[in-house]
Amino acid sequence: MTDDLCVTARGVSKIYPGTLALHKVDFNVYRGKVNVVIGENGAGKSTLMKILAGIEQPSEGAICLNGEEIHLKGTRDASERGIGIIHQELNLFPNLTVAQNIFMGRENTQYGVILDHKKHIEKTKMLLERLEHPIHPDTPVSDLRVGQQQIVEIAKTMAQQDLHVLIMDEPTSSLSTAEVEVLFRLIEELRGQGISIIYISHRLEEIMRIGDYVTVLRDGKLVGEEKVKNIDIPWIVRSMVGHSDTKMNYKQEKPIGDEILRVESLTLPRRGGGYTLDHISFSLRAGEILGIYGLLGSGRTELIECIMGMHPESTIDMYLEGKKIKPTSIWEQIQKGFAHIPEDRQREGLVQTLSIARNMTLASLWNYTKGIHLLHKKEDDSITKTIKDLEIKVADKNLPILSLSGGNQQKVVISKGILTSPKVLLLDEPTRGIDVGAKADVFKIVNKFAAQGMGIILVASELKEIIAIADRIIILSNGQATGELSGDEITEESLVKASGKGHTSGKLENIS
Ligand SMILES: Nc1ncnc2c1ncn2[C@@H]1O[C@H](COP(=O)(O)OP(=O)(O)OP(=O)(O)O)[C@@H](O)[C@H]1O
Ligand SMILES: [Mg+2]
């Protein structure tokens, strides 16, 4: 028996200035199945999803829903037909609360006019409990970490009534193992209810586990469609990038030098009592890649932010090359030799109104000045070289940063940090949304810098990835260091075990 089609795209093209993002693409969405879309960064995945969700209009071609051609005029139009989307770039309003975001545009009324706040709070609680992530509904979104925002995005789409098609554009890019499991259970449940799911991810194992069908895009064109049960990971890599080198071990022999950074008794008090980070101490040597692993809310991002001087309420004894320093602000820390690649590329990593090129050299402009003059040629050469090294897919480096695909924006965030040539590089989820081929490029560069004597601290939520690159890993759980592993001790099992220690879940907590 062949599966029933729910949505189809026929001969869909999308032209942006300077880019043919999609070229005559046919795409099938099977009813009650998980339909995976894969392709390198910039292949056209998000563009196709935006067309199916009514956000963008196709330049040519047709979209059919249940066999009937539809013309979606906007997201509301799509949502009325039961199509919901979880965006790759988080789309929440930072100044509003979780509940306000979830019910934005579909507010419940009481007696016809009054917004039913109580109802929103109750429903929000229910949705978040279903996602096993009890964030308080009144928490402002600006207090949430990227991973938590991702959960709120998911809840927001789940709040939509009569959902038939659910598009998930990299829903797990900031989630770690335990949180991915919860989402997968939810996906299975939705699939069981006959909801058609479109799932995009660069995490290949996820695709093999959750997918029923897979469609491959390359350079805006359809490469093919297969049933997941007929393929394997080498097939995915081959059809995405043209070769099937799937070994994930980025470790390189490199000299490890003297201690470059020492952190003693790093403490960040939590508002309302307790600690977000509870007396954490560690040292980092030149050339070493130190991984930090932990679940959402473990304090992994805050640890990096405290080193960068972003939390004035923290206390920390810190020594850089043996000299005591006080982290008071980001700019001071950058000048002392720290570079920070933040997890939230939209809010902290990029200036959205600037061009690709300007964003890249924003933190290192002093390298390209002589007196009051900007050394354009030197700056240009650095930018061109970095675009090539990281294979950033740009039509023109002077275009706005928002014209890049998600993964390519992330590569610009990485360039911005490494162009400052720091002594200590702090990477928070550097490969978020980066495709399998480009991950190897990013880690090659990280290794190159380590080999030159830079000290590197890396937060990564994908288990396999942190294992493949880190020399040593500190595990955080609930703000405490619950383990430290190096060499052969680093296994998936030992990491999962240590990251669950002392973890309290199921309790409604205010994140802030
Ligand atoms: N608003 C825009 N203006 C100009 N070009 C754009 C715009 N949006 C996307 N593009 C271009 O269209 C192409 C496809 O981008 P898209 O975001 O669909 O890629 P993707 O497959 O989702 O990649 P990723 O895995 O990095 O998210 C890219 O070359 C991108 O630069
Ligand atoms: Mg995308």
Side-chain angles (χ1 to χ4, degrees):
M1 197 183 87
T2 52
D3 289 315
D4 178 22
L5 285 172
C6 168
V7 174
T8 53
R10 290 289 165 256
V12 164
S13 299
K14 178 73 193 178
I15 302 162
Y16 288 117
T19 309
L20 182 56
L22 291 172
H23 184 63
K24 297 192 190 302
V25 168
D26 292 333
F27 175 49
N28 297 325
V29 179
Y30 294 90
R31 194 183 313 280
K33 301 286 170 198
V34 177
N35 303 267
V36 171
V37 183
I38 58 169
E40 289 180 283
N41 295 135
K45 303 178 295 295
S46 296
T47 306
L48 182 59
M49 296 311 120
K50 285 179 194 157
I51 290 173
L52 296 179
I55 300 161
E56 296 274 5
Q57 314 302 319
S59 310
E60 65 170 337
I63 306 293
C64 296
L65 177 64
N66 301 324
E68 197 185 305
E69 188 167 337
I70 52 169
H71 299 272
L72 298 170
K73 285 177 216 77
T75 40
R76 188 171 282 253
D77 206 5
S79 118
E80 274 164 14
R81 291 171 190 270
I83 304 172
I85 182 166
I86 297 167
H87 290 275
Q88 178 176 19
E89 300 307 338
L90 304 166
N91 260 340
L92 303 171
F93 292 92
N95 300 331
L96 300 183
T97 67
V98 169
Q100 284 166 336
N101 266 285
I102 288 182
F103 289 97
M104 173 68 96
R106 45 169 176 264
E107 288 87 356
N108 287 304
T109 51
Q110 221 177 13
Y111 315 117
V113 277
I114 308 161
L115 296 183
D116 193 343
H117 185 63
K118 223 172 115 200
K119 208 163 165 190
H120 288 173
I121 298 282
E122 267 165 33
K123 276 198 178 165
T124 303
K125 262 190 201 157
M126 235 167 60
L127 286 164
L128 291 168
E129 266 162 24
R130 191 163 168 208
L131 290 165
E132 292 176 36
H133 209 85
I135 306 166
H136 198 287
D138 279 332
T139 314
V141 162
S142 56
D143 285 357
L144 300 183
R145 294 279 156 217
V146 175
Q148 293 164 328
Q149 289 182 37
Q150 217 159 33
I151 304 240
V152 174
E153 280 275 2
I154 296 168
K156 185 175 164 187
T157 315
M158 301 304 309
Q160 189 172 322
Q161 277 167 3
D162 292 326
L163 195 65
H164 300 306
V165 182
L166 175 57
I167 302 171
M168 305 177 121
D169 195 349
E170 299 195 41
T172 57
S173 63
S174 301
L175 304 186
S176 33
T177 321
E179 292 118 23
V180 172
E181 290 304 321
V182 175
L183 182 67
F184 277 15
R185 283 202 293 278
L186 179 74
I187 292 179
E188 304 257 340
E189 202 183 309
L190 296 174
R191 174 168 59 183
Q193 293 166 7
I195 294 177
S196 314
I197 291 157
I198 309 178
Y199 190 89
I200 296 179
S201 175
H202 288 294
R203 297 180 173 187
L204 308 184
E205 274 156 27
E206 284 186 359
I207 297 170
M208 294 305 296
R209 257 193 66 192
I210 198 79
D212 296 306
Y213 286 86
V214 54
T215 298
V216 189
L217 295 180
R218 196 192 297 162
D219 289 330
K221 295 192 196 83
L222 175 76
V223 176
E225 176 197 294
E226 262 299 343
K227 281 192 173 163
V228 171
K229 66 172 196 268
N230 298 336
I231 61 161
D232 54 13
I233 288 185
W235 181 94
I236 297 181
V237 178
R238 208 162 46 240
S239 44
M240 265 172 74
V241 297
H243 62 80
S244 58
D245 183 7
T246 55
K247 82 173 183 315
M248 191 143 150
N249 185 7
Y250 308 111
K251 276 185 198 150
Q252 273 175 14
E253 280 299 315
K254 55 184 166 15
I256 304 264
D258 295 335
E259 179 182 277
I260 188 164
L261 178 75
R262 186 146 47 93
V263 167
E264 279 174 11
S265 213
L266 163 53
T267 303
L268 178 65
R270 196 197 301 267
R271 234 186 285 163
Y275 296 107
T276 302
L277 288 167
D278 189 0
H279 297 87
I280 310 282
S281 302
F282 61 89
S283 92
L284 172 73
R285 294 162 68 182
E288 191 180 27
I289 302 178
L290 172 65
I292 308 285
Y293 183 77
L295 303 181
L296 279 181
S298 61
R300 56 192 196 196
T301 291
E302 288 82 356
L303 184 134
I304 282 192
E305 289 175 350
C306 286
I307 297 175
M308 285 309 289
M310 292 161 74
H311 289 278
E313 69 279 28
S314 63
T315 53
I316 178 171
D317 278 330
M318 189 152 92
Y319 302 84
L320 180 67
E321 294 173 320
K323 224 176 95 203
K324 185 155 186 173
I325 57 166
K326 213 172 146 43
T328 44
S329 75
I330 289 202
W331 282 108
E332 268 185 41
Q333 291 305 84
I334 291 176
Q335 256 140 33
K336 284 177 201 145
F338 290 84
H340 175 218
I341 293 169
E343 69 166 351
D344 191 345
R345 62 173 170 248
Q346 294 301 314
R347 269 198 264 161
E348 296 160 23
L350 298 168
V351 181
Q352 308 205 343
T353 47
L354 293 180
S355 69
I356 298 160
R358 245 313 86 86
N359 267 290
M360 285 175 77
T361 53
L362 203 58
S364 56
L365 265 184
W366 64 77
N367 284 338
Y368 311 107
T369 49
K370 198 171 179 188
I372 55 162
H373 299 289
L374 190 62
L375 304 171
H376 285 293
K377 168 106 181 37
K378 193 174 169 204
E379 188 193 8
D380 251 19
D381 289 350
S382 285
I383 291 170
T384 311
K385 182 168 182 306
T386 314
I387 288 178
K388 198 163 152 274
D389 281 351
L390 285 175
E391 291 185 37
I392 306 178
K393 196 176 170 212
V394 292
D396 176 346
K397 65 180 190 311
N398 297 314
L399 283 174
I401 186 75
L402 290 181
S403 70
L404 291 186
S405 77
N408 283 298
Q409 288 181 29
Q410 183 65 17
K411 291 188 196 176
V412 172
V413 177
I414 296 173
S415 320
K416 183 178 142 196
I418 56 183
L419 280 171
T420 62
S421 323
K423 291 177 186 161
V424 177
L425 179 61
L426 305 166
L427 302 157
D428 195 351
E429 296 287 357
T431 59
R432 183 173 158 234
I434 287 196
D435 72 51
V436 52
K439 255 181 204 172
D441 296 331
V442 168
F443 285 132
K444 226 189 280 162
I445 294 217
V446 170
N447 270 317
K448 193 176 107 191
F449 282 111
Q452 290 167 5
M454 204 182 275
I456 291 168
I457 301 181
L458 168 90
V459 169
S461 55
E462 202 182 347
L463 213 51
K464 287 211 157 33
E465 193 174 305
I466 197 160
I467 293 175
I469 181 88
D471 299 311
R472 188 157 58 94
I473 300 179
I474 293 177
I475 299 110
L476 288 184
S477 175
N478 256 345
Q480 291 177 346
T482 51
E484 183 177 326
L485 303 167
S486 59
D488 294 342
E489 297 163 359
I490 303 179
T491 61
E492 285 192 38
E493 217 187 343
S494 53
L495 275 171
V496 169
K497 211 165 140 209
S499 63
K501 271 190 204 162
H503 187 68
T504 52
S505 68
K507 232 174 56 225
L508 213 59
E509 54 178 323
N510 212 328
I511 299 298
S512 53

